[in-house]
Amino acid sequence: MILISILLFNWFDWQVIKTENFQVIYKPGYEYEALKALKNLEYYRKYIVNLTGNNTRAVPVVIEDIGTLSNGYANPVFYNIHFFTYAPGAGIYLEGIEDWYRVLSVHEFTHIAHMTRTNGVPRYLTKLFGSLFQPNMYSPGWLIEGITVYSESKISPYEGRLNDGFFDAYVSTCIAEKQFPDIIDATNEPLSFPYGKMYLYGGEFFDFLAEQYGEERFKKFFSIYGSYPWAPVSAILPGLGLDIAAKKIYGKSFPALFKEWAKHSNTKNSVNHIEGDKITNRGWYISSLVADNGKLFYVYESAIKLNCFRYKNIYQVIELDLNTHKEKVLINLNSQITSRIRIYNHQLYYVTADLKRTKNTYYNGYGITSTLHKLDLLTKKEHILFTDDIRSFCVLDNDVVLYVKQKSHWFGSEIWLYTPELKKKIWEGVLLIDEIETNGNWIVVCGRDEFENPDLYLFDPESSKFTPILRTPWTEGHLCFMQNDWLGFIANFDGKHQIYAINISAPESILCYTKNGFNNSFVFVEDTLYFSKLKTNGFDIYKKFSSPEKYTLKEWQPGPKPDFHAQKIDIKNGNYLNIMQTTFPSIRLPVFLPVDSTFRKWQYGVLFAGSDATDENFYISYLGYDQLTNKLFLQSNLQSKFFSPALIEMFYNYNDYFKLSCSCPVFNTLNPGIKNIIFNLNVKSFNEYQRKEINPNFTINYQKPEYNCYWNFSIPFERKFLKSTINRVGYFCGTGLNYLIFTGELRAELIGFSDSQNPDSTSIPIRGYDPILAQKGILFNIEYSHRLLKLRKGLWNPNIYFEDIFGIIFFDYALTQNGEKYYSTGIEMALESKSCFGFIQIIPKLGIAVNHDKKIKLLIGITPTLDFLR
């Protein structure tokens, strides 16, 4: 009944346009986004087919609105692509993106074409048993992402991460600091700056392979590796698969090719002279420098390891005294700052990410929006001004703000005026604006036409006219006004992000203030330039005397633009039947398991798993026969996000168990305070369907930058009139706290329960004892975890990696209904271990616990997890 209801509702809720090669699925109102995605996919399809050698057909592409979050993903297991609709703005790297849908189409379709490439025996195994037999999926992250970064960078010389400048700058910095990555670092990507190293190392490595050996060898490699039915074993022993294919194509194994890349890069890159004096020592991400009253203010982002494979993102605004160079944290934040900070009249304005309802399945019906805050730097009083999809903003007067929004369902932007009394749209057009800035006399924007990078324009709000100041095919941004009508900005004119200035009154005059490295933010204080420069561990702030040189732009040609009008594609309307076709099981695995010690009795079965292309409905079922019991069995699990934000899940065991769960957030935000309130309702029938339980559950999560805590309360009950064999009411409640302290984490949890009418006792886990069964009780534990040692060592063949060692000190306490007390204290050591190119994470633990009887118990355990979200 649930499936039929979902399908009937979905019939009216999704729309489809399709060609022979793609099926674009979208919600009503997103026709523009769907058509643009389809045109770009068809236009650049031939290039990707030639690059990968895979002529795929009927690829489902789903359009999702995640608010102001820019991303996309490809799923080779369930064979679909998802596009997020929001075009990126002026981020930390000022990345060159001439057209969002072009980059996204090329990048994500390259993923599908690469990872679904099969030949020989794997092609037949895939057709018979499903997608898990696609060999190219069993590749390291730098290979999977490297080919996509390479492909996105070959469409235009001004687009893609290999043409942007950051990747090249980081490799040059690694060479200068003698920290060039080896294949072990690139494969396992330990937590460190920068995020997404698989894109960086993989893209640069593929660029090297194309330069030295030729691009045409890529598809030959994918073809050979795609013919290895033993490819899953290669994820553990690359020497038996990946390296064999590499030797056939390149004459060398991948470790040898990485060494060759390092040698080539050392020869190719010259060591850059360090400009200026370093005044901070933070690393990670420093951006958005502004100055006021003898102080610098900047945005700082980093990450702290809390426990094995658990880390916390840190978002702060830092105040730096220009005289003493002492720093202090001005603001701790729950969420990321999404636009450059501004200061006006000693008021600091900043924008943080928040949540809103949107049309998507990826984020369970929620998307990102922005909230504008104001902090008085003198009184330290803070106010929230308003929430909207703020792309960029500038301050005209106290609490009078101009801000930019991306236009809905069309290319372009809107400019809005905010005052405490009103919000008013003052302009709308086809210029996509990434940044807006003012000095009180001039208003300047960085904006782009379709298939172009942003240029500099002067904006007149009275006439709504944009006057070009500087137009180039490169990327300009991170605006900063100076004296005497000079506008400072950062651009990648020579493939390096340097600091420039242009005279608004005489735009033919350009000055250059830096020559080397990668700069992402700056501010002038009298005759001193303060700027954030890239190092291997991140950015730090430098200062130098302002001494510019005249700069002349080199000759350039505009980037290529697709001619969609000449494109002849037959676009047809589809319907929900096209989505229904994608629910066919993508995984169809035969299973053979021994069920006794003599190996004479076996369990035979088939595992089915599938999902529709929208990812709204997922199922996995196991059907088989057990020789020990001489019975057929069926276990099935279904998850549905159709009624998002509610998540519905059903689990069914043919013999004795059925459970239906519904989880729905009543409240959700990223702001400090109550983070979310979640209501859960679980209904289950068990003990051969003799007992029926209903369990309502409430959870409240409260979050601040330094800590988060939760409260949970549930009341499971059974009634004979509901066909259960007993009458029962149970009470379970719990509260917990996670607190960041001394770069480690303090965790405390208190759980109380009373379930005396339940014939099945509750198991109380407490270290130092065997499991304790009780019908009433209290459990309390507190522990502190801290990183003890960075190992960061591993092997390529066999593929195993050891990242960090953590120490844990704990105290556990339990009290049962008979007044019996149990408590223990002890220590544990945990090791972060990875295998299969980092996708399998293993946490072996070793420790001791001393209980209240003064008995010592050895604690040994191992926890495996899968990290498919890398």
Side-chain angles (χ1 to χ4, degrees):
M1 289 175 62
I2 294 171
L3 273 172
I4 293 172
S5 300
I6 289 170
L7 296 180
L8 287 175
F9 275 106
N10 280 346
W11 181 279
F12 299 101
D13 199 39
W14 288 103
Q15 296 181 357
V16 180
I17 57 174
K18 61 181 182 176
T19 64
E20 181 185 4
N21 303 311
F22 301 98
Q23 304 175 61
V24 180
I25 305 165
Y26 59 97
K27 294 283 187 177
Y30 290 81
E31 291 80 8
Y32 164 77
E33 291 86 349
L35 187 59
K36 189 164 187 182
L38 184 56
K39 287 182 177 180
N40 276 281
L41 285 163
E42 284 287 354
Y43 193 90
Y44 294 103
R45 178 181 179 276
K46 186 176 180 180
Y47 161 70
I48 297 168
V49 169
N50 290 334
L51 181 69
T52 61
N54 192 7
N55 189 19
T56 59
R57 301 287 185 181
V59 181
V61 181
V62 183
I63 306 298
E64 295 206 67
D65 185 350
I66 317 292
T68 57
L69 178 65
S70 304
N71 211 332
Y73 66 92
N75 189 329
V77 176
F78 297 129
Y79 195 63
N80 57 66
I81 296 172
H82 285 237
F83 284 3
F84 298 174
T85 59
Y86 193 79
I92 290 177
Y93 299 147
L94 204 65
E95 190 175 311
I97 296 178
E98 293 179 308
D99 186 85
W100 173 235
Y101 281 89
R102 176 165 71 181
V103 169
L104 202 56
S105 297
V106 172
H107 184 102
E108 302 304 342
F109 182 48
T110 302
H111 270 316
I112 289 294
H114 161 224
M115 286 189 284
T116 64
R117 177 78 191 271
T118 56
N119 284 314
V121 173
R123 175 170 294 180
Y124 297 103
L125 292 175
T126 300
K127 288 182 178 181
L128 185 61
F129 298 119
S131 57
L132 294 185
F133 289 89
Q134 298 172 146
N136 278 292
M137 292 198 312
Y138 300 94
S139 302
W142 52 261
L143 197 157
I144 292 173
E145 297 297 346
I147 184 60
T148 58
V149 170
Y150 177 86
S151 68
E152 76 182 34
S153 304
K154 292 301 174 181
I155 303 300
S156 167
Y158 311 110
E159 186 173 57
R161 279 166 278 196
L162 293 178
N163 297 319
D164 165 65
F166 173 72
F167 281 14
D168 288 344
Y170 190 78
V171 168
S172 297
T173 304
C174 289
I175 293 170
E177 299 182 20
K178 302 186 185 308
Q179 295 188 35
F180 199 87
D182 60 18
I183 196 170
I184 306 300
D185 295 326
T187 300
N188 294 280
E189 196 170 338
L191 182 65
S192 60
F193 177 90
Y195 294 132
K197 287 185 282 291
M198 67 179 76
Y199 296 85
L200 196 160
Y201 299 149
E204 291 285 330
F205 179 66
F206 266 82
D207 195 43
F208 155 75
L209 290 179
E211 180 182 340
Q212 295 298 306
Y213 295 94
E215 180 183 288
E216 68 280 356
R217 297 200 187 191
F218 295 159
K219 61 184 177 184
K220 294 180 181 179
F221 172 81
F222 300 148
S223 176
I224 288 180
Y225 188 57
S227 68
Y228 292 170
W230 61 88
V233 177
S234 177
I236 301 174
L237 298 168
L240 299 181
L242 278 171
D243 285 337
I244 293 176
K247 288 177 181 178
K248 288 183 178 180
I249 300 301
Y250 298 104
K252 299 177 182 178
S253 66
F254 275 119
L257 288 169
F258 256 73
K259 291 179 180 178
E260 185 181 340
W261 171 44
K263 184 178 179 180
H264 174 78
S265 299
N266 271 279
T267 305
K268 180 179 177 181
N269 291 270
S270 58
V271 178
N272 293 324
H273 173 69
I274 300 299
E275 297 177 285
D277 300 319
K278 187 177 180 182
I279 61 174
T280 64
N281 191 29
R282 284 185 170 269
W284 285 96
Y285 294 93
I286 289 177
S287 62
S288 197
L289 270 65
V290 292
D292 183 66
N293 200 24
K295 297 177 181 177
L296 279 186
F297 302 88
Y298 63 88
V299 176
Y300 181 65
E301 299 181 23
S302 64
I304 295 178
K305 273 280 190 74
L306 303 177
N307 207 329
C308 290
F309 301 117
R310 291 186 60 244
Y311 67 94
K312 181 178 178 63
N313 290 314
I314 305 297
Y315 307 110
Q316 297 173 328
V317 177
I318 307 294
E319 177 186 295
L320 170 65
D321 190 296
L322 294 180
N323 294 319
T324 64
H325 292 173
K326 291 184 177 180
E327 298 174 286
K328 70 175 183 179
V329 177
L330 183 65
I331 307 171
N332 271 312
L333 299 164
N334 264 26
S335 59
Q336 193 172 31
I337 288 183
T338 59
S339 182
R340 297 182 63 222
I341 61 178
R342 305 283 194 252
I343 290 181
Y344 181 85
N345 196 20
H346 307 302
Q347 310 287 317
L348 176 67
Y349 295 82
Y350 64 96
V351 176
T352 59
D354 199 3
L355 294 178
K356 68 173 184 177
R357 290 301 310 279
T358 54
K359 294 183 178 181
N360 66 75
T361 57
Y362 177 83
Y363 215 169
N364 205 26
Y366 282 91
I368 302 297
T369 188
S370 298
T371 297
L372 180 61
H373 306 251
K374 182 186 75 169
L375 174 69
D376 191 313
L377 294 174
L378 302 179
T379 65
K380 307 304 180 185
K381 292 183 178 180
E382 185 174 359
H383 303 281
I384 291 178
L385 298 183
F386 66 93
T387 297
D388 207 339
D389 294 342
I390 304 169
R391 189 172 178 87
S392 181
F393 75 97
C394 64
V395 183
L396 301 178
D397 202 349
N398 288 336
D399 294 347
V400 179
V401 176
L402 276 183
Y403 70 98
V404 178
K405 297 174 60 175
Q406 180 172 300
K407 200 172 180 180
S408 298
H409 309 308
W410 203 253
F411 183 87
S413 305
E414 301 169 357
I415 298 179
W416 287 68
L417 174 68
Y418 167 84
T419 70
E421 294 79 26
L422 61 85
K423 284 169 64 175
K424 177 183 178 183
K425 182 166 63 175
I426 65 172
W427 177 85
E428 179 180 357
V430 294
L431 191 70
L432 181 57
I433 298 172
D434 290 345
E435 193 173 355
I436 187 169
E437 181 61 294
T438 183
N439 64 350
N441 296 319
W442 307 98
I443 299 175
V444 177
V445 304
C446 288
R448 68 182 82 176
D449 293 323
E450 286 194 276
F451 297 99
E452 291 184 3
N453 279 316
D455 295 310
L456 303 181
Y457 294 87
L458 191 64
F459 174 58
D460 184 355
E462 293 184 1
S463 63
S464 296
K465 289 185 178 180
F466 290 85
T467 304
I469 300 172
L470 179 64
R471 289 181 61 89
T472 77
W474 296 285
T475 300
E476 297 97 32
H478 294 177
L479 309 178
C480 177
F481 272 100
M482 303 156 58
Q483 296 179 348
N484 301 323
D485 295 340
W486 283 87
L487 174 71
F489 62 95
I490 291 177
N492 63 338
F493 293 148
D494 300 305
K496 300 177 181 179
H497 286 232
Q498 305 301 331
I499 300 169
Y500 301 90
I502 191 169
N503 192 307
I504 296 177
S505 302
E508 65 277 1
S509 300
I510 300 178
L511 300 179
C512 181
Y513 287 82
T514 56
K515 296 180 179 180
N516 299 307
F518 184 97
N519 308 280
N520 80 336
S521 187
F522 69 98
V523 66
F524 289 91
V525 179
E526 296 178 348
D527 292 331
T528 302
L529 170 64
Y530 294 88
F531 55 103
S532 52
K533 180 180 283 291
L534 178 67
K535 303 289 286 181
T536 54
N537 67 335
F539 291 91
D540 269 302
I541 298 177
Y542 291 73
K543 69 174 183 179
K544 60 175 287 191
F545 179 73
S546 176
S547 56
E549 297 180 0
K550 189 175 181 180
Y551 181 82
T552 302
L553 281 169
K554 62 183 180 182
E555 294 184 2
W556 53 268
Q557 297 292 328
K561 296 183 180 182
D563 186 4
F564 291 138
H565 295 292
Q567 187 179 18
K568 295 180 180 180
I569 54 176
D570 183 17
I571 300 177
K572 298 179 180 179
N573 290 322
N575 52 47
Y576 193 71
L577 288 176
N578 299 113
I579 302 176
M580 281 284 293
Q581 294 170 358
T582 67
T583 62
F584 185 79
S586 298
I587 299 173
R588 307 173 292 276
L589 287 179
V591 179
F592 308 95
L593 297 173
V595 290
D596 71 348
S597 58
T598 66
F599 292 91
R600 294 180 179 178
K601 302 290 186 180
W602 288 75
Q603 190 179 92
Y604 305 97
V606 180
L607 179 70
F608 296 98
S611 169
D612 62 45
T614 67
D615 282 347
E616 278 190 338
N617 306 297
F618 164 81
Y619 65 90
I620 181 169
S621 296
Y622 182 32
L623 173 66
Y625 175 75
D626 192 324
Q627 287 185 327
L628 193 64
T629 60
N630 290 321
K631 290 183 179 180
L632 292 171
F633 61 87
L634 170 65
Q635 294 179 351
S636 187
N637 180 257
L638 167 70
Q639 295 178 1
S640 177
K641 296 181 180 179
F642 173 74
F643 299 103
S644 65
L647 173 64
I648 297 173
E649 184 172 7
M650 182 188 74
F651 181 82
Y652 174 73
N653 187 325
Y654 171 75
N655 293 320
D656 64 353
Y657 189 87
F658 173 83
K659 181 179 180 181
L660 180 64
S661 302
C662 177
S663 175
C664 182
V666 181
F667 175 78
N668 225 345
T669 184
L670 297 179
N671 288 325
I674 295 178
K675 179 182 179 182
N676 54 40
I677 302 173
I678 302 173
F679 171 73
N680 295 276
L681 180 62
N682 301 315
V683 180
K684 69 178 182 179
S685 179
F686 57 106
N687 279 10
E688 296 183 349
Y689 304 117
Q690 298 299 307
R691 294 177 60 182
K692 281 81 176 177
E693 177 189 279
I694 300 175
N695 184 3
N697 180 298
F698 281 96
T699 301
I700 300 175
N701 290 293
Y702 185 92
Q703 184 170 343
K704 289 282 189 176
E706 300 86 2
Y707 67 90
N708 63 278
C709 51
Y710 80 90
W711 296 269
N712 176 270
F713 187 72
S714 64
I715 309 175
F717 66 90
E718 300 178 61
R719 285 292 179 266
K720 290 184 178 180
F721 72 84
L722 295 175
K723 306 301 182 181
S724 186
T725 56
I726 63 172
N727 289 320
R728 162 191 166 230
V729 179
Y731 302 92
F732 292 78
C733 61
T735 183
L737 170 71
N738 292 13
Y739 198 94
L740 180 64
I741 181 171
F742 304 127
T743 66
E745 184 183 40
L746 180 69
R747 304 180 69 188
E749 189 172 45
L750 176 64
I751 298 174
F753 65 94
S754 175
D755 200 10
S756 58
Q757 297 170 311
N758 192 348
D760 299 329
S761 299
T762 301
S763 178
I764 303 177
I766 179 170
R767 285 164 282 198
Y769 295 89
D770 293 329
I772 301 166
L773 300 178
Q775 293 179 316
K776 292 182 180 179
I778 295 174
L779 172 66
F780 172 76
N781 65 56
I782 184 170
E783 67 179 38
Y784 177 74
S785 59
H786 195 94
R787 181 167 60 190
L788 301 179
L789 182 64
K790 286 185 180 181
L791 292 179
R792 314 289 168 99
K793 301 292 183 182
L795 298 172
W796 169 252
N797 193 39
N799 197 263
I800 189 169
Y801 185 75
F802 304 108
E803 191 162 328
D804 295 335
I805 296 178
F806 284 83
I808 303 166
I809 304 173
F810 67 85
F811 173 77
D812 293 348
Y813 175 87
L815 176 66
T816 65
Q817 70 267 23
N818 299 323
E820 297 174 325
K821 297 179 182 179
Y822 304 85
Y823 55 86
S824 65
T825 186
I827 59 173
E828 288 182 322
M829 304 283 284
L831 173 63
E832 287 180 318
S833 308
K834 297 178 181 178
S835 187
C836 295
F837 309 131
F839 291 104
I840 293 182
Q841 299 174 340
I842 305 168
I843 308 174
K845 289 184 178 181
L846 178 65
I848 58 170
V850 181
N851 62 28
H852 77 290
D853 296 325
K854 297 184 180 179
K855 293 183 178 179
I856 299 176
K857 185 172 182 179
L858 185 65
L859 305 176
I860 301 176
I862 186 167
T863 305
T865 61
L866 297 177
D867 183 22
F868 288 123
L869 297 180
R870 297 176 69 244

